[in-house]
């Protein structure tokens, strides 16, 4: 059975006081999870210490990025050792923000290998631009991104793949659940074909793009969507619960 996963990425939102208040409210309300569901919160890196000390169970700590350089790195980047020290369990790689700017598949590949070396689960984001989507290149682009990111990665059983189309973030257009499910099936086929291993069909595939308490159930009802990557709805406690506890 594929485990459900909800990944809340806070970007650079919240003050220290707001982070503490959020964790306190979750602690007071409690969070019951079933079917081995995991809920991850990825705050800004400056809040890792607060999260390490105050984030209530069963929440897991996530990271929004990591340097592909193991030692030293560049100014402002986060090393994989730092993530490990703070107890980060999941880390995003390949987000469209970086792909549009400078990050190529070979850099994503280096990050995945580093994360796996340190026992941190990579959340590989893949997604196409609006032009690629309109020219029917979506499946081709995603296959290339997956293959490029996983070159030389012998064991991919502990990787999460997130379909996070760049055009959804840019244009605010929401793809239908059926469309996202079709893409998720394609991603799963790519993963199985990459290693010729049917076990790779059990990898969690999640979707990210303008998810709210009002629409999450429609996406989670699809056969090949195992979870949700969400930003805006993760920032307020009520909408956070509305997404994570969509079936209650």
């Amino acid at each position: 059975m594929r485990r459900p996963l909800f990944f809340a990425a806070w970007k650079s939102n919240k003050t220290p006081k707001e982070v503490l208040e959020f964790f306190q409210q979750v602690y007071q309300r409690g969070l019951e999870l079933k079917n081995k569901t995991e809920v991850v919160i990825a705050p800004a890196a400056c809040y890792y210490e607060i999260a390490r000390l105050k984030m209530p169970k069963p929440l897991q700590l996530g990271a929004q990025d990591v340097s592909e350089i193991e030692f030293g790195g560049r100014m402002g980047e986060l090393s994989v050792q730092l993530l490990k020290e703070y107890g980060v369990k999941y880390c995003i790689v390949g987000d469209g923000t970086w792909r549009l700017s400078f990050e190529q598949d070979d850099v994503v590949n280096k990050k995945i290998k580093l994360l796996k070396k340190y026992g941190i689960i990579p959340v590989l984001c893949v997604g196409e631009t609006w032009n690629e989507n309109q020219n029917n290149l979506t499946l081709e682009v995603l296959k290339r991104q997956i293959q490029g990111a996983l070159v030389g990665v012998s064991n991919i059983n502990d990787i999460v793949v997130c379909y996070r189309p760049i055009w959804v973030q840019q244009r605010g257009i929401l793809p239908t659940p059926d469309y996202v499910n079709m893409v998720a099936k394609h991603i799963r086929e790519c993963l199985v074909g990459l290693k010729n291993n049917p076990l790779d069909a059990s990898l969690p595939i999640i979707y990210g793009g303008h998810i709210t308490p009002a629409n999450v159930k429609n996406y989670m009802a699809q056969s090949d969507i195992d979870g949700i990557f969400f930003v805006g709805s993760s920032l307020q406690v009520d909408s956070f619960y509305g997404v994570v506890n969509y079936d209650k």
Side-chain angles (χ1 to χ4, degrees):
M1 179 179 178
R2 304 193 301 265
R3 70 181 186 278
L5 176 69
F6 292 83
F7 195 107
W10 283 356
K11 294 188 176 180
S12 295
N13 292 287
K14 292 191 178 294
T15 64
K17 180 182 178 182
E18 290 170 341
V19 172
L20 285 170
E21 288 175 347
F22 186 97
F23 289 153
Q24 184 178 22
Q25 290 180 59
V26 172
Y27 175 77
Q28 291 172 343
R29 290 175 62 163
L31 185 62
E32 295 184 8
L33 303 176
K34 60 183 181 180
N35 298 328
K36 297 184 178 179
T37 297
E38 287 195 273
V39 179
V40 183
I41 290 184
C46 55
Y47 300 138
Y48 285 171
E49 181 68 5
I50 296 176
R52 186 176 69 86
L53 296 174
K54 299 295 184 179
M55 188 167 69
K57 295 181 179 179
L59 299 179
Q60 303 281 354
L61 181 59
Q64 299 179 26
D65 195 20
V66 67
S67 174
E68 78 274 18
I69 302 171
E70 184 171 7
F71 302 106
R74 292 180 287 265
M75 188 72 72
E77 292 187 333
L78 300 175
S79 72
V80 67
Q81 295 100 331
L82 185 149
L83 302 189
K84 185 69 175 180
E85 182 70 20
Y86 278 106
V88 168
K89 184 174 181 180
Y90 291 87
C91 180
I92 301 167
V93 295
D95 187 71
T97 304
W98 306 126
R99 288 186 184 273
L100 285 177
S101 301
F102 59 86
E103 191 164 278
Q104 302 297 318
D105 292 332
D106 61 328
V107 175
V108 177
N109 177 253
K110 291 176 182 177
K111 291 182 177 184
I112 288 176
K113 289 176 178 176
L114 263 185
L115 291 170
K116 287 177 63 62
K117 178 179 177 180
Y118 283 80
I120 299 172
I121 299 173
V123 178
L124 170 60
C125 291
V126 296
E128 78 281 19
T129 65
W130 177 249
N131 286 337
E132 289 166 341
N133 178 275
Q134 292 301 292
N135 285 286
N136 297 316
L137 296 174
T138 296
L139 303 186
E140 178 183 330
V141 168
L142 298 187
K143 184 175 182 179
R144 186 197 72 230
Q145 291 175 347
I146 291 168
Q147 290 177 335
L150 298 178
V151 170
V153 180
S154 57
N155 181 4
I156 64 174
N157 290 336
D158 56 352
I159 289 175
V160 176
V161 180
C162 174
Y163 176 50
R164 189 160 148 77
I166 296 171
W167 53 272
V168 172
Q169 304 166 53
Q170 292 176 329
R171 293 175 170 261
I173 302 172
L174 197 61
T176 66
D178 287 344
Y179 176 83
V180 174
N181 196 58
M182 179 275 293
V183 172
K185 285 183 178 180
H186 172 71
I187 291 172
R188 206 173 298 284
E189 291 169 358
C190 290
L191 293 169
V192 172
L194 190 64
K195 302 297 179 182
N196 194 26
N197 182 359
L199 291 178
D200 296 332
S202 65
L203 295 183
I205 297 175
I206 65 179
Y207 166 69
H210 296 302
I211 291 295
T212 69
N215 64 28
V216 59
K217 190 171 184 177
N218 297 329
Y219 290 90
M220 288 301 295
Q222 301 299 311
S223 62
D224 279 86
I225 300 175
D226 304 312
I228 296 298
F229 180 112
F230 59 129
V231 181
S233 294
S234 73
L235 299 176
Q236 303 301 320
V237 171
D238 286 342
S239 55
F240 169 81
Y241 272 85
V243 171
V244 173
N245 289 337
Y246 69 95
D247 60 342
K248 293 184 179 179

PDB file of all heavy atoms in Angstrom, residues 105 126 137-149 186-187 189-190 193-194:
ATOM      1  N   ASP A 105      18.999  19.307 -14.538  1.00  0.00           N
ATOM      2  CA  ASP A 105      18.781  17.961 -14.034  1.00  0.00           C
ATOM      3  C   ASP A 105      20.022  17.382 -13.353  1.00  0.00           C
ATOM      4  O   ASP A 105      19.907  16.612 -12.396  1.00  0.00           O
ATOM      5  CB  ASP A 105      18.351  17.028 -15.176  1.00  0.00           C
ATOM      6  CG  ASP A 105      16.962  17.375 -15.708  1.00  0.00           C
ATOM      7  OD1 ASP A 105      16.150  17.916 -14.939  1.00  0.00           O
ATOM      8  OD2 ASP A 105      16.705  17.113 -16.895  1.00  0.00           O
ATOM      9  N   VAL A 126       8.804  17.665 -10.252  1.00  0.00           N
ATOM     10  CA  VAL A 126       8.881  17.702 -11.708  1.00  0.00           C
ATOM     11  C   VAL A 126       7.682  18.501 -12.219  1.00  0.00           C
ATOM     12  O   VAL A 126       6.620  18.525 -11.590  1.00  0.00           O
ATOM     13  CB  VAL A 126       8.892  16.289 -12.327  1.00  0.00           C
ATOM     14  CG1 VAL A 126      10.136  15.526 -11.913  1.00  0.00           C
ATOM     15  CG2 VAL A 126       7.638  15.501 -11.929  1.00  0.00           C
ATOM     16  N   LEU A 137       3.999  18.627 -24.717  1.00  0.00           N
ATOM     17  CA  LEU A 137       5.316  18.101 -24.363  1.00  0.00           C
ATOM     18  C   LEU A 137       5.397  17.658 -22.906  1.00  0.00           C
ATOM     19  O   LEU A 137       6.469  17.268 -22.443  1.00  0.00           O
ATOM     20  CB  LEU A 137       6.392  19.153 -24.637  1.00  0.00           C
ATOM     21  CG  LEU A 137       6.576  19.567 -26.098  1.00  0.00           C
ATOM     22  CD1 LEU A 137       7.564  20.723 -26.197  1.00  0.00           C
ATOM     23  CD2 LEU A 137       7.052  18.377 -26.927  1.00  0.00           C
ATOM     24  N   THR A 138       4.285  17.725 -22.188  1.00  0.00           N
ATOM     25  CA  THR A 138       4.307  17.446 -20.750  1.00  0.00           C
ATOM     26  C   THR A 138       4.932  16.102 -20.422  1.00  0.00           C
ATOM     27  O   THR A 138       5.870  16.014 -19.622  1.00  0.00           O
ATOM     28  CB  THR A 138       2.883  17.500 -20.173  1.00  0.00           C
ATOM     29  OG1 THR A 138       2.374  18.823 -20.305  1.00  0.00           O
ATOM     30  CG2 THR A 138       2.879  17.104 -18.705  1.00  0.00           C
ATOM     31  N   LEU A 139       4.447  15.041 -21.028  1.00  0.00           N
ATOM     32  CA  LEU A 139       4.925  13.702 -20.684  1.00  0.00           C
ATOM     33  C   LEU A 139       6.393  13.528 -21.052  1.00  0.00           C
ATOM     34  O   LEU A 139       7.164  12.894 -20.313  1.00  0.00           O
ATOM     35  CB  LEU A 139       4.062  12.646 -21.370  1.00  0.00           C
ATOM     36  CG  LEU A 139       2.559  12.711 -21.062  1.00  0.00           C
ATOM     37  CD1 LEU A 139       1.841  11.517 -21.678  1.00  0.00           C
ATOM     38  CD2 LEU A 139       2.298  12.773 -19.565  1.00  0.00           C
ATOM     39  N   GLU A 140       6.778  14.100 -22.179  1.00  0.00           N
ATOM     40  CA  GLU A 140       8.182  14.026 -22.604  1.00  0.00           C
ATOM     41  C   GLU A 140       9.096  14.769 -21.628  1.00  0.00           C
ATOM     42  O   GLU A 140      10.169  14.278 -21.248  1.00  0.00           O
ATOM     43  CB  GLU A 140       8.316  14.623 -24.005  1.00  0.00           C
ATOM     44  CG  GLU A 140       9.728  14.644 -24.540  1.00  0.00           C
ATOM     45  CD  GLU A 140       9.801  15.310 -25.910  1.00  0.00           C
ATOM     46  OE1 GLU A 140       8.797  15.229 -26.655  1.00  0.00           O
ATOM     47  OE2 GLU A 140      10.845  15.916 -26.225  1.00  0.00           O
ATOM     48  N   VAL A 141       8.673  15.959 -21.211  1.00  0.00           N
ATOM     49  CA  VAL A 141       9.472  16.762 -20.281  1.00  0.00           C
ATOM     50  C   VAL A 141       9.618  16.051 -18.940  1.00  0.00           C
ATOM     51  O   VAL A 141      10.717  15.980 -18.369  1.00  0.00           O
ATOM     52  CB  VAL A 141       8.834  18.152 -20.081  1.00  0.00           C
ATOM     53  CG1 VAL A 141       9.486  18.891 -18.910  1.00  0.00           C
ATOM     54  CG2 VAL A 141       8.956  18.973 -21.360  1.00  0.00           C
ATOM     55  N   LEU A 142       8.533  15.509 -18.431  1.00  0.00           N
ATOM     56  CA  LEU A 142       8.584  14.836 -17.134  1.00  0.00           C
ATOM     57  C   LEU A 142       9.474  13.603 -17.187  1.00  0.00           C
ATOM     58  O   LEU A 142      10.238  13.337 -16.251  1.00  0.00           O
ATOM     59  CB  LEU A 142       7.176  14.445 -16.684  1.00  0.00           C
ATOM     60  CG  LEU A 142       6.183  15.590 -16.475  1.00  0.00           C
ATOM     61  CD1 LEU A 142       4.898  15.062 -15.860  1.00  0.00           C
ATOM     62  CD2 LEU A 142       6.763  16.688 -15.615  1.00  0.00           C
ATOM     63  N   LYS A 143       9.402  12.860 -18.269  1.00  0.00           N
ATOM     64  CA  LYS A 143      10.258  11.676 -18.412  1.00  0.00           C
ATOM     65  C   LYS A 143      11.719  12.083 -18.417  1.00  0.00           C
ATOM     66  O   LYS A 143      12.553  11.443 -17.759  1.00  0.00           O
ATOM     67  CB  LYS A 143       9.911  10.931 -19.699  1.00  0.00           C
ATOM     68  CG  LYS A 143      10.690   9.633 -19.882  1.00  0.00           C
ATOM     69  CD  LYS A 143      10.227   8.873 -21.122  1.00  0.00           C
ATOM     70  CE  LYS A 143      10.965   7.552 -21.267  1.00  0.00           C
ATOM     71  NZ  LYS A 143      10.498   6.799 -22.465  1.00  0.00           N
ATOM     72  N   ARG A 144      12.034  13.156 -19.129  1.00  0.00           N
ATOM     73  CA  ARG A 144      13.424  13.630 -19.166  1.00  0.00           C
ATOM     74  C   ARG A 144      13.895  14.084 -17.785  1.00  0.00           C
ATOM     75  O   ARG A 144      15.003  13.781 -17.355  1.00  0.00           O
ATOM     76  CB  ARG A 144      13.545  14.787 -20.143  1.00  0.00           C
ATOM     77  CG  ARG A 144      14.991  15.258 -20.363  1.00  0.00           C
ATOM     78  CD  ARG A 144      15.062  16.632 -20.981  1.00  0.00           C
ATOM     79  NE  ARG A 144      14.664  17.667 -20.027  1.00  0.00           N
ATOM     80  CZ  ARG A 144      13.781  18.626 -20.276  1.00  0.00           C
ATOM     81  NH1 ARG A 144      13.152  18.684 -21.442  1.00  0.00           N
ATOM     82  NH2 ARG A 144      13.491  19.520 -19.349  1.00  0.00           N
ATOM     83  N   GLN A 145      13.034  14.802 -17.072  1.00  0.00           N
ATOM     84  CA  GLN A 145      13.401  15.276 -15.736  1.00  0.00           C
ATOM     85  C   GLN A 145      13.627  14.117 -14.771  1.00  0.00           C
ATOM     86  O   GLN A 145      14.575  14.132 -13.979  1.00  0.00           O
ATOM     87  CB  GLN A 145      12.314  16.209 -15.200  1.00  0.00           C
ATOM     88  CG  GLN A 145      12.236  17.535 -15.931  1.00  0.00           C
ATOM     89  CD  GLN A 145      11.071  18.405 -15.451  1.00  0.00           C
ATOM     90  OE1 GLN A 145      10.179  17.932 -14.750  1.00  0.00           O
ATOM     91  NE2 GLN A 145      11.082  19.677 -15.834  1.00  0.00           N
ATOM     92  N   ILE A 146      12.764  13.115 -14.838  1.00  0.00           N
ATOM     93  CA  ILE A 146      12.896  11.951 -13.952  1.00  0.00           C
ATOM     94  C   ILE A 146      14.160  11.179 -14.270  1.00  0.00           C
ATOM     95  O   ILE A 146      14.941  10.818 -13.378  1.00  0.00           O
ATOM     96  CB  ILE A 146      11.651  11.048 -14.074  1.00  0.00           C
ATOM     97  CG1 ILE A 146      10.432  11.751 -13.478  1.00  0.00           C
ATOM     98  CG2 ILE A 146      11.885   9.701 -13.377  1.00  0.00           C
ATOM     99  CD1 ILE A 146       9.114  11.074 -13.794  1.00  0.00           C
ATOM    100  N   GLN A 147      14.386  10.919 -15.542  1.00  0.00           N
ATOM    101  CA  GLN A 147      15.585  10.173 -15.930  1.00  0.00           C
ATOM    102  C   GLN A 147      16.853  10.933 -15.556  1.00  0.00           C
ATOM    103  O   GLN A 147      17.811  10.349 -15.037  1.00  0.00           O
ATOM    104  CB  GLN A 147      15.552   9.894 -17.431  1.00  0.00           C
ATOM    105  CG  GLN A 147      14.486   8.893 -17.848  1.00  0.00           C
ATOM    106  CD  GLN A 147      14.436   8.684 -19.353  1.00  0.00           C
ATOM    107  OE1 GLN A 147      14.826   9.549 -20.139  1.00  0.00           O
ATOM    108  NE2 GLN A 147      13.915   7.540 -19.772  1.00  0.00           N
ATOM    109  N   GLY A 148      16.865  12.241 -15.805  1.00  0.00           N
ATOM    110  CA  GLY A 148      18.049  13.033 -15.490  1.00  0.00           C
ATOM    111  C   GLY A 148      18.316  13.118 -14.005  1.00  0.00           C
ATOM    112  O   GLY A 148      19.477  13.094 -13.566  1.00  0.00           O
ATOM    113  N   ALA A 149      17.264  13.203 -13.214  1.00  0.00           N
ATOM    114  CA  ALA A 149      17.428  13.331 -11.765  1.00  0.00           C
ATOM    115  C   ALA A 149      17.893  12.047 -11.113  1.00  0.00           C
ATOM    116  O   ALA A 149      18.523  12.073 -10.048  1.00  0.00           O
ATOM    117  CB  ALA A 149      16.112  13.773 -11.133  1.00  0.00           C
ATOM    118  N   HIS A 186       1.660   8.343 -15.631  1.00  0.00           N
ATOM    119  CA  HIS A 186       2.826   8.411 -16.502  1.00  0.00           C
ATOM    120  C   HIS A 186       4.116   8.437 -15.676  1.00  0.00           C
ATOM    121  O   HIS A 186       5.098   7.746 -16.018  1.00  0.00           O
ATOM    122  CB  HIS A 186       2.744   9.656 -17.383  1.00  0.00           C
ATOM    123  CG  HIS A 186       3.974   9.927 -18.182  1.00  0.00           C
ATOM    124  ND1 HIS A 186       4.355   9.152 -19.258  1.00  0.00           N
ATOM    125  CD2 HIS A 186       4.939  10.893 -18.048  1.00  0.00           C
ATOM    126  CE1 HIS A 186       5.477   9.624 -19.756  1.00  0.00           C
ATOM    127  NE2 HIS A 186       5.856  10.670 -19.041  1.00  0.00           N
ATOM    128  N   ILE A 187       4.133   9.210 -14.616  1.00  0.00           N
ATOM    129  CA  ILE A 187       5.307   9.274 -13.745  1.00  0.00           C
ATOM    130  C   ILE A 187       5.605   7.895 -13.168  1.00  0.00           C
ATOM    131  O   ILE A 187       6.754   7.442 -13.147  1.00  0.00           O
ATOM    132  CB  ILE A 187       5.081  10.297 -12.615  1.00  0.00           C
ATOM    133  CG1 ILE A 187       5.067  11.720 -13.189  1.00  0.00           C
ATOM    134  CG2 ILE A 187       6.163  10.168 -11.539  1.00  0.00           C
ATOM    135  CD1 ILE A 187       4.672  12.785 -12.193  1.00  0.00           C
ATOM    136  N   GLU A 189       4.821   4.998 -14.426  1.00  0.00           N
ATOM    137  CA  GLU A 189       5.345   4.147 -15.507  1.00  0.00           C
ATOM    138  C   GLU A 189       6.809   4.457 -15.787  1.00  0.00           C
ATOM    139  O   GLU A 189       7.611   3.553 -16.048  1.00  0.00           O
ATOM    140  CB  GLU A 189       4.503   4.343 -16.765  1.00  0.00           C
ATOM    141  CG  GLU A 189       3.090   3.784 -16.653  1.00  0.00           C
ATOM    142  CD  GLU A 189       2.193   4.221 -17.803  1.00  0.00           C
ATOM    143  OE1 GLU A 189       2.662   4.999 -18.671  1.00  0.00           O
ATOM    144  OE2 GLU A 189       1.013   3.807 -17.829  1.00  0.00           O
ATOM    145  N   CYS A 190       7.164   5.728 -15.732  1.00  0.00           N
ATOM    146  CA  CYS A 190       8.565   6.122 -15.939  1.00  0.00           C
ATOM    147  C   CYS A 190       9.464   5.540 -14.862  1.00  0.00           C
ATOM    148  O   CYS A 190      10.570   5.062 -15.141  1.00  0.00           O
ATOM    149  CB  CYS A 190       8.703   7.639 -15.949  1.00  0.00           C
ATOM    150  SG  CYS A 190       8.003   8.457 -17.393  1.00  0.00           S
ATOM    151  N   GLY A 193       9.812   1.767 -15.415  1.00  0.00           N
ATOM    152  CA  GLY A 193      10.647   1.503 -16.583  1.00  0.00           C
ATOM    153  C   GLY A 193      12.096   1.866 -16.380  1.00  0.00           C
ATOM    154  O   GLY A 193      12.997   1.250 -16.967  1.00  0.00           O
ATOM    155  N   LEU A 194      12.355   2.848 -15.516  1.00  0.00           N
ATOM    156  CA  LEU A 194      13.721   3.322 -15.301  1.00  0.00           C
ATOM    157  C   LEU A 194      14.612   2.215 -14.750  1.00  0.00           C
ATOM    158  O   LEU A 194      15.755   2.044 -15.172  1.00  0.00           O
ATOM    159  CB  LEU A 194      13.702   4.511 -14.334  1.00  0.00           C
ATOM    160  CG  LEU A 194      15.003   5.277 -14.170  1.00  0.00           C
ATOM    161  CD1 LEU A 194      15.405   5.951 -15.471  1.00  0.00           C
ATOM    162  CD2 LEU A 194      14.854   6.327 -13.068  1.00  0.00           C
TER     163      LEU A 194
END
